[in-house]
Amino acid sequence: MSYEHILVTEQIAEHVALIQLNRPKELNALNLQLMGEVRDALKALDANDAVRVIIITGNERAFAAGADIKQMSGKGAIDMLKIDQFTTWDQIKKTKKPIIAAVSGFALGGGCELVMHCDCVVASETAQFGQPEIKIGVMPGAGGTQRLPQAVGKALAMEMVLTGEFISAERALQAGLINKIVPVELLMDETIKMAKSMSRNSPLALQLAKESVLKSYETSLSEGLSFERKNFYMLFATEDQKEGMNAFIEKRHPDFKGS
Ligand code: HXC
């Protein structure tokens, strides 16, 4: 598939794919076409058995500075309703494989929300996160008011959403929004290292484990535990479970096939 606003590398490392947002002059502002391409690329990579983990990144200056303000500025409420952009975001959320965001520079508005659609976040020291929509007369619309408090707690989420001010990578780490901070020149190496540490595991276990953790945000504890249990039992139907446990007993590395 060919894309205009993203670059896709199917094997940046063994079993690891990379999607790079690529509108550098606009600080990777997320226009509708770019988001559609991200959705299509994730769908294709999700269906590709050679891929186990997906990285989404931007460039050194910006992961993404938000939805494209120029594309939205003239729109009315009914235009926005008809464009129905959040169906695209809902599809992104359905990606089964783990996604890691590698963030340098600005991750703002929809950019910060895209980060929060990812499962883990590696950031460079220059990363800045924010929900500045309030400064342009609106508010977050792609999950920021829901996922940010889940990630960082109410106080900081309110501060970010109501002031529109950015937070540093350091504060984001402290608050639990991101997993680690690395020097900017090591961002991809360190993200790939994390991705490989995931991709060595059974792809079916990765998928069901991700699904189970995400379920915890949407259910009661008892329903979540029941869901977890079923996924746990299901993995005993896989060859990878036999391979993983036999490899442990035989003191060798497992060779997971995704079956
Ligand atoms: C469209 C954008 C943009 C955006 C930057 N640009 N952000 N274009 N939409 N979100 C463009 C600028 O217009 C400019 O183009 C070029 O990128 C470089 O940006 P500058 O502003 O000149 O850079 P700088 O002075 O370094 O400031 C960087 C910045 C600032 C602090 C990130 O650009 C900024 O505040 N951007 C907007 C951030 C924002 O409000 N995001 C939320 C959007 S709403 P030209 O052609 O002028 O040189 C949103 C809603 C999501 O995300 C809900 C649904 C998805």
Side-chain angles (χ1 to χ4, degrees), residues 25-27 29 61 65-70 72 85-86 89 106 108-110 113 132-133 136 141-142 166:
K25 277 201 224 104
E26 295 84 5
L27 305 185
R61 191 160 171 227
D68 191 324
I69 299 169
K70 291 166 191 163
M72 287 185 297
Q85 63 183 310
F86 298 118
W89 289 75
F106 301 111
L108 307 176
E113 289 167 314
E133 293 91 338
I136 53 170
F166 310 159

Side-chain angles (χ1 to χ4, degrees), residues 4-7 20-24 26 28 34 57-59:
E4 192 182 334
H5 296 314
I6 62 172
L7 303 169
Q20 181 174 18
L21 312 178
N22 191 34
R23 294 185 76 207
E26 295 84 5
N28 289 334
L34 184 152
T57 197
N59 55 54

Side-chain angles (χ1 to χ4, degrees), residues 66-67 69 72 108-113 130-144 160-161 163-166:
I69 299 169
M72 287 185 297
L108 307 176
C112 189
E113 289 167 314
Q131 298 289 161
E133 293 91 338
I134 203 89
K135 293 188 170 179
I136 53 170
V138 288
M139 57 176 275
M160 290 171 71
V161 169
T163 68
E165 300 296 332
F166 310 159

Side-chain angles (χ1 to χ4, degrees), residues 27 45 119-120 174 176 184 223 259:
L27 305 185
L45 295 171
D119 303 304
C120 288
Q174 206 182 35
V184 66
E223 279 170 14
S259 52

Side-chain angles (χ1 to χ4, degrees), residues 37-259:
E37 290 182 6
V38 170
R39 173 204 55 211
D40 293 347
L42 285 171
K43 194 166 177 217
L45 295 171
D46 228 13
N48 180 343
D49 285 343
V51 174
R52 295 185 183 176
V53 179
I54 302 160
I55 298 171
I56 301 182
T57 197
N59 55 54
E60 207 172 308
R61 191 160 171 227
F63 177 80
D68 191 324
I69 299 169
K70 291 166 191 163
Q71 196 174 46
M72 287 185 297
S73 63
K75 300 277 188 294
I78 302 304
D79 301 321
M80 293 300 276
L81 183 73
K82 284 188 179 161
I83 290 169
D84 189 24
Q85 63 183 310
F86 298 118
T87 300
T88 299
W89 289 75
D90 290 343
Q91 284 161 338
I92 289 172
K93 186 189 135 201
K94 286 188 187 141
T95 307
K96 296 190 180 96
K97 293 174 184 170
I99 309 176
I100 307 175
V103 181
S104 203
F106 301 111
L108 307 176
C112 189
E113 289 167 314
L114 182 57
V115 166
M116 290 187 282
H117 277 67
C118 299
D119 303 304
C120 288
V121 187
V122 181
S124 83
E125 300 138 326
T126 67
Q128 295 187 72
F129 301 85
Q131 298 289 161
E133 293 91 338
I134 203 89
K135 293 188 170 179
I136 53 170
V138 288
M139 57 176 275
T145 64
Q146 306 303 300
R147 291 196 179 92
L148 197 58
Q150 285 173 350
V152 305
K154 177 185 163 192
L156 182 55
M158 282 290 191
E159 185 183 329
M160 290 171 71
V161 169
L162 300 182
T163 68
E165 300 296 332
F166 310 159
I167 61 167
S168 65
E170 198 60 56
R171 186 134 191 235
L173 181 67
Q174 206 182 35
L177 183 61
I178 64 175
N179 294 76
K180 63 195 302 196
I181 303 174
V182 300
V184 66
E185 65 279 7
L186 294 182
L187 180 65
M188 279 321 296
D189 286 352
E190 289 292 327
T191 310
I192 288 171
K193 205 185 278 177
M194 183 188 275
K196 283 166 95 173
S197 163
M198 293 179 186
S199 73
R200 277 192 282 273
N201 301 318
S202 159
L204 292 165
L206 286 174
Q207 182 181 317
L208 296 192
K210 165 172 171 164
E211 189 187 30
S212 300
V213 173
L214 289 179
K215 196 76 176 174
S216 74
Y217 289 101
E218 310 212 352
T219 55
S220 66
L221 179 60
S222 57
E223 279 170 14
L225 289 172
S226 160
F227 187 84
E228 177 193 73
R229 234 157 264 175
K230 283 180 186 136
N231 276 350
F232 177 72
Y233 294 147
M234 177 114 77
L235 289 171
F236 283 75
T238 65
E239 288 172 23
D240 282 350
Q241 173 264 330
K242 300 287 173 293
E243 169 63 10
M245 294 192 180
N246 287 337
F248 173 80
I249 293 164
E250 292 160 15
K251 299 188 188 301
R252 62 174 173 81
H253 290 295
D255 179 18
F256 292 121
K257 301 271 197 263
S259 52

